[in-house]
Amino acid sequence: MKIFKIVKLGLLSLAICATTTSCNDWLQVDTEDSIMEGLLFENDEGYMSALNGVYSKMNELYGSTLSMGMLDVMAQYYNVEANSNHSFYNSAAFKYDQAGFKSTSNSVWTSLYLYIANLNTLLKHCDDSNSKLSKLYRPYVKGEALALRAFFHFDLLRLYGPIYSAETENTIVMPYQETTSKEIQPLLSAKDVAAKIMRDLNEAEELLKEDRIRKDGVMNGDSDDPNDKTAFRYRNFRLNYYAVKALKARLYLWLGDKENAYNEATSIIKLNQEEGVFPWTRKNAVTSTSSPDLVFSSEVMFSLYNQSRKTLYDGMFSSKGEVNNMLVFKGSSMEDGNLFSKLTYFYDDFGDLRRNNQWSVETIKVKSDKEGEEDKKEDILCFNKYKDVQASSFRYMIPLIRLSEVYLIAAECAKTNEEALGYINDIRTARNCVKLELKDGQGDDAVQDYIYREFMREEIGEGQMYFFYKRKAMKQMMSGTEFGQEGSYWNPEDKPLEGQYKMDVNKYVWPLPEVEANKRLLSK
């Protein structure tokens, strides 16, 4: 794979967001205004402007709510105390009846369907008989648009749909918006929605089969060729061929189709080994004193390019933030084996690159409740995955799909426990951890526990752990507010364990948002 020079930050911003008109301008276009549409879709650059507008707009929702913030709080990662004034309390306690949650849910629903509506307008123009989109641009524009439409519908399904099974697949859930019509679309079953998502992904995969990423890598840098189009570079910030296949594997596993999930995941692993597009991040890159790669960027298949990442970090994870907004681990020590630190229960290897580099002990001031008393100092465990790293190509990266998830899908669906351990240990080797082995008498449950733990460690800050719990209908999850106990956390028999959050499985399903329910009532 050709190695490209690291790009200057401004160039990457141009690659994702800069267009003949701004991304926000596109998103404000009324799709009924045929004159504006005609001007926008006059050339390839206009099509890219429309597509880039959706990528850019994603940051408003996925930058916090559906990645590092709300969904991870619901997965009980952090020490959000009960009955506190913490801004994430309602999310941590699944208070769906509270105004704050209802407002967020309405925003998630309307935002995702707005993105989809814009994509449908773009797709309509891609398929027009007099389309001005060139043959060179068409596979990328249409392929990525279809993949994004599937991506958004899938997240809606995972939030508002049932815990998927043969018994629940016919549950009526949501519409699948695939036209530019403004008429209210019928609510479909989870099974029908999933089938349409897979259809879009299959078509996207076919369109993107010659994606430049396969030959040239992610191309996060300047090209030696002055004629090289920026539109086809920076592929890990777009839904590329690999990311589409990974999304298919994620969908198959959600549907309980382990055979196809396994086939998809192992094909990606094999392809990546042959083409070398997403190498494991090297230890010296993670431990660098000048620009530590704490997101393991070389392994990220699809991500946001979010220029507000530092602001999000400062607001939620920095010790300089407001106490009632902070997301921290319970405890105040990085010491190995400290029973009063969640790190002891979260990680099983003191040499783990994730443990030693994504966390730090910081001191904050806590205001005293008593008048006249000085503020107290308190040590806390701060999560540094998104700490600002200026001189890097990953400064604004927020991962949405990564290589290790593909390995864990392959492990969960593997034919034997030995094969599963191989995939798990590939991740652990990359993270500087000792390899795991099965002791006498250990079997499937031990392997599932290993998968569970690695998924927790890999996906923290990325919004995927909540969906892991939901997919498996887990009634207990590692608590953010209590200390745990040594031993297995995989608990299929739901035995009482210390340090576990007791979950009502009905709470995994978000209620249909009021904005949608009211719209349907008014239409009757």
Side-chain angles (χ1 to χ4, degrees):
M1 181 181 70
K2 184 178 180 181
I3 300 175
F4 295 87
K5 183 175 65 176
I6 297 299
V7 73
K8 297 295 183 182
L9 297 177
L11 293 177
L12 184 52
S13 177
L14 287 173
I16 302 299
C17 295
T19 57
T20 53
T21 59
S22 75
C23 300
N24 288 336
D25 287 344
W26 151 243
L27 289 166
Q28 292 167 3
V29 169
D30 186 339
T31 56
E32 290 183 336
D33 189 335
S34 59
I35 297 177
M36 291 299 293
E37 279 193 39
L39 291 174
L40 184 66
F41 297 110
E42 272 295 311
N43 50 42
D44 290 333
E45 288 70 23
Y47 280 88
M48 289 303 297
S49 174
L51 183 60
N52 289 341
V54 178
Y55 279 117
S56 178
K57 201 69 174 174
M58 285 177 68
N59 285 302
E60 297 178 6
L61 189 61
Y62 284 87
S64 56
T65 304
L66 298 184
S67 61
M68 64 179 73
M70 181 179 179
L71 282 187
D72 269 7
V73 169
M74 296 177 81
Q76 306 301 313
Y77 274 119
Y78 304 113
N79 187 22
V80 179
E81 294 287 350
N83 302 317
S84 76
N85 294 319
H86 200 286
S87 59
F88 282 102
Y89 169 66
N90 286 335
S91 299
F94 300 93
K95 300 286 187 179
Y96 294 152
D97 58 341
Q98 297 298 308
F101 177 84
K102 290 180 179 180
S103 176
T104 299
S105 180
N106 283 338
S107 178
V108 168
W109 183 275
T110 56
S111 294
L112 289 177
Y113 276 112
L114 172 63
Y115 306 161
I116 292 165
N118 289 336
L119 290 168
N120 285 336
T121 299
L122 173 59
L123 288 165
K124 174 179 175 290
H125 283 273
C126 287
D127 292 335
D128 279 350
S129 58
N130 61 346
S131 173
K132 304 295 179 61
L133 185 63
S134 69
K135 290 183 179 180
L136 177 63
Y137 274 76
R138 180 180 172 80
Y140 291 95
V141 173
K142 185 175 181 181
E144 290 179 34
L146 283 167
L148 281 169
R149 186 169 76 179
F151 184 90
F152 298 140
H153 278 107
F154 187 21
D155 276 355
L156 285 163
L157 178 63
R158 292 197 294 174
L159 290 169
Y160 297 97
I163 298 170
Y164 200 92
S165 68
E167 289 73 32
T168 65
E169 64 181 15
N170 290 317
T171 303
I172 301 302
V173 181
M174 54 182 270
Y176 198 93
Q177 187 70 38
E178 51 192 326
T179 73
T180 57
S181 171
K182 289 191 174 183
E183 293 182 5
I184 295 176
Q185 300 298 302
L187 298 176
L188 302 179
S189 70
K191 181 179 181 180
D192 288 342
V193 171
K196 289 178 180 290
I197 295 170
M198 188 62 74
R199 176 206 62 195
D200 280 355
L201 290 176
N202 284 334
E203 186 175 353
E205 180 183 1
E206 179 63 23
L207 285 163
L208 291 166
K209 64 184 178 182
E210 302 298 329
D211 192 335
R212 283 187 62 188
I213 196 173
R214 301 186 60 185
K215 178 172 65 74
D216 297 327
V218 297
M219 297 173 286
N220 284 346
D222 298 322
S223 174
D224 297 329
D225 181 0
N227 297 315
D228 190 1
K229 295 184 180 298
T230 305
F232 303 143
R233 302 179 68 80
Y234 310 99
R235 297 301 295 158
N236 57 347
F237 288 98
R238 311 182 77 88
L239 262 173
N240 59 74
Y241 178 76
Y242 273 89
V244 169
K245 288 180 69 64
L247 195 55
K248 285 178 62 178
R250 183 187 282 179
L251 176 58
Y252 277 128
L253 190 60
W254 182 262
L255 301 178
D257 187 347
K258 288 192 172 184
E259 181 177 357
N260 276 316
Y262 172 82
N263 291 338
E264 201 67 59
T266 52
S267 72
I268 296 168
I269 292 169
K270 181 180 178 181
L271 189 67
N272 189 51
Q273 289 171 343
E274 294 171 352
E275 298 179 343
V277 176
F278 298 102
W280 296 110
T281 303
R282 295 182 178 276
K283 179 179 179 180
N284 61 0
V286 181
T287 59
S288 168
T289 56
S290 59
S291 55
D293 187 355
L294 303 183
V295 296
F296 304 100
S297 65
S298 65
E299 308 163 20
V300 176
M301 293 180 162
F302 174 46
S303 67
L304 301 176
Y305 180 81
N306 191 313
Q307 292 178 296
S308 298
R309 198 182 86 168
K310 181 181 183 300
T311 302
L312 292 170
Y313 167 80
D314 287 344
M316 289 187 281
F317 303 107
S318 172
S319 58
K320 299 176 183 178
E322 293 291 330
V323 173
N324 287 337
N325 293 332
M326 291 183 65
L327 299 178
V328 301
F329 261 20
K330 188 174 179 64
S332 58
S333 173
M334 293 280 292
E335 294 179 9
D336 187 23
N338 187 312
L339 297 180
F340 299 102
S341 169
K342 186 176 176 178
L343 293 180
T344 294
Y345 307 99
F346 197 73
Y347 298 100
D348 62 6
D349 191 314
F350 189 61
D352 194 322
L353 291 174
R354 298 163 294 191
R355 181 191 191 279
N356 294 336
N357 296 278
Q358 291 181 343
W359 295 92
S360 63
V361 177
E362 306 290 342
T363 302
I364 60 171
K365 287 184 178 181
V366 181
K367 292 183 179 180
S368 173
D369 294 332
K370 296 181 180 179
E371 186 176 351
E373 281 192 2
E374 294 185 0
D375 293 343
K376 299 177 181 178
K377 291 184 178 180
E378 181 179 328
D379 288 341
I380 56 173
L381 284 170
C382 287
F383 183 50
N384 296 322
K385 191 172 192 174
Y386 295 115
K387 193 171 185 177
D388 193 33
V389 183
Q390 294 189 19
S392 69
S393 62
F394 47 84
R395 183 183 187 186
Y396 301 129
M397 176 179 280
I398 299 178
L400 297 177
I401 302 175
R402 63 168 55 252
L403 180 65
S404 53
E405 180 186 355
V406 175
Y407 273 74
L408 291 170
I409 291 173
E412 186 171 340
C413 304
K415 309 300 183 183
T416 66
N417 287 332
E418 290 70 25
E419 182 188 6
L421 272 182
Y423 295 123
I424 297 168
N425 282 328
D426 284 342
I427 298 171
R428 290 179 62 84
T429 298
R431 302 295 180 254
N432 197 45
C433 298
V434 297
K435 291 187 176 182
L436 298 172
E437 296 180 355
L438 287 177
K439 300 175 182 178
D440 290 343
Q442 288 185 316
D444 295 346
D445 284 352
V447 171
Q448 292 303 316
D449 184 54
Y450 294 154
I451 293 168
Y452 171 29
R453 287 171 175 264
E454 292 307 323
F455 199 93
M456 278 196 297
R457 297 161 188 155
E458 283 294 295
E459 297 290 348
I460 184 171
E462 299 178 23
Q464 296 304 315
M465 194 67 215
Y466 174 77
F467 295 125
F468 181 98
Y469 287 133
K470 178 172 180 176
R471 176 168 61 82
K472 292 181 172 293
M474 292 183 69
K475 296 179 181 178
Q476 296 187 66
M477 57 183 78
M478 185 183 287
S479 174
T481 60
E482 299 176 19
F483 292 118
Q485 63 184 32
E486 295 183 5
S488 173
Y489 281 99
W490 181 248
N491 192 18
E493 297 179 5
D494 298 317
K495 297 177 180 178
L497 290 176
E498 295 177 10
Q500 296 285 287
Y501 178 88
K502 307 301 187 294
M503 181 65 180
D504 176 356
V505 294
N506 295 314
K507 293 289 187 179
Y508 282 123
V509 181
W510 288 20
L512 186 71
E514 288 183 345
V515 65
E516 181 68 15
N518 292 340
K519 181 174 69 175
R520 291 181 179 276
L521 283 174
L522 290 172
S523 68
K524 290 183 177 179

